[in-house]
């Protein structure tokens, strides 16, 4: 798989009491990588959803050529007054172990680089929603 898009977010999808299936177009390694939150627009409370309890994920077969898939809410349609937003929550662990004089498989190396790219994109997506100070701001500034 290659990561050919910087997109790490789908939605927000606005509840209309009829839609329960929501598409996303970012590549993932497994269904467990999809992170979903539901926002109650009346109370402004955001709640994370749980895979297997609140939703299921169907991935497109070829994440390189056709990244993404669909998320289906298990309780039925997203209600009016709620929004749903999807992103990824890839665990920041390095599980690739390249041993001395072991096999050097390009697929393993590519997957490791893809994971690093996804982790960087997750950080950039979160940073894009953060307050930042100009680069020239002194270190002792009081916010």
């Amino acid at each position: 798989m290659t990561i050919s898009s910087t997109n790490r977010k789908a939605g927000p999808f606005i509840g209309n009491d009829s839609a329960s299936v929501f598409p996303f177009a970012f590549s993932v390694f497994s269904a467990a990588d999809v992170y979903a939150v539901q926002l109650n627009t009346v109370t402004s409370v955001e709640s994370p959803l749980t895979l297997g309890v609140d939703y299921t994920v169907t991935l497109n077969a070829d994440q390189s050529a056709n990244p993404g898939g669909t998320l289906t809410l298990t309780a039925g349609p997203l209600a009016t007054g709620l929004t749903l937003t999807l992103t990824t929550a890839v665990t920041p662990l390095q599980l690739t172990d390249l041993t001395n004089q072991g096999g050097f498989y390009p697929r393993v190396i590519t997957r490791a680089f893809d994971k690093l790219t996804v982790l960087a994109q997750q950080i950039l997506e979160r940073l894009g929603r953060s307050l930042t100070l100009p680069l020239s701001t002194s270190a002792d500034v009081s916010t």
Side-chain angles (χ1 to χ4, degrees):
M1 171 169 69
T2 60
I3 309 297
S4 58
S5 170
T6 58
N7 178 30
R8 280 282 127 202
K9 188 174 171 182
F13 300 103
I14 299 170
N16 60 7
D17 294 317
S18 65
S20 61
V21 178
F22 303 92
F24 60 93
F26 45 82
S27 56
V28 293
F29 302 101
S30 72
D33 294 337
V34 178
Y35 179 71
V37 294
Q38 181 176 279
L39 172 70
N40 182 318
T41 58
V42 174
T43 63
S44 296
V45 174
E46 186 175 89
S47 306
L49 301 181
T50 304
L51 176 65
V53 175
D54 301 310
Y55 66 92
T56 60
V57 173
T58 303
L59 299 179
N60 296 339
D62 186 347
Q63 290 292 302
S64 290
N66 186 22
T70 57
L71 178 143
T72 303
L73 296 175
T74 56
L78 186 63
T80 301
L82 299 176
T83 64
L84 178 70
T85 306
L86 313 177
T87 189
T88 54
V90 174
T91 306
L93 296 175
Q94 200 297 91
L95 301 175
T96 302
D97 185 20
L98 302 173
T99 59
N100 188 26
Q101 296 187 9
F104 191 81
Y105 303 104
R107 183 178 6 172
V108 173
I109 303 300
T110 299
R111 187 172 172 93
F113 284 145
D114 288 347
K115 183 172 182 179
L116 289 173
T117 302
V118 168
L119 289 170
Q121 289 176 344
Q122 284 179 187
I123 292 168
L124 289 171
E125 192 283 323
R126 181 172 278 198
L127 182 63
R129 293 180 283 113
S130 303
L131 296 174
T132 59
L133 299 173
L135 179 61
S136 58
T137 303
S138 66
D140 61 348
V141 68
S142 173
T143 56

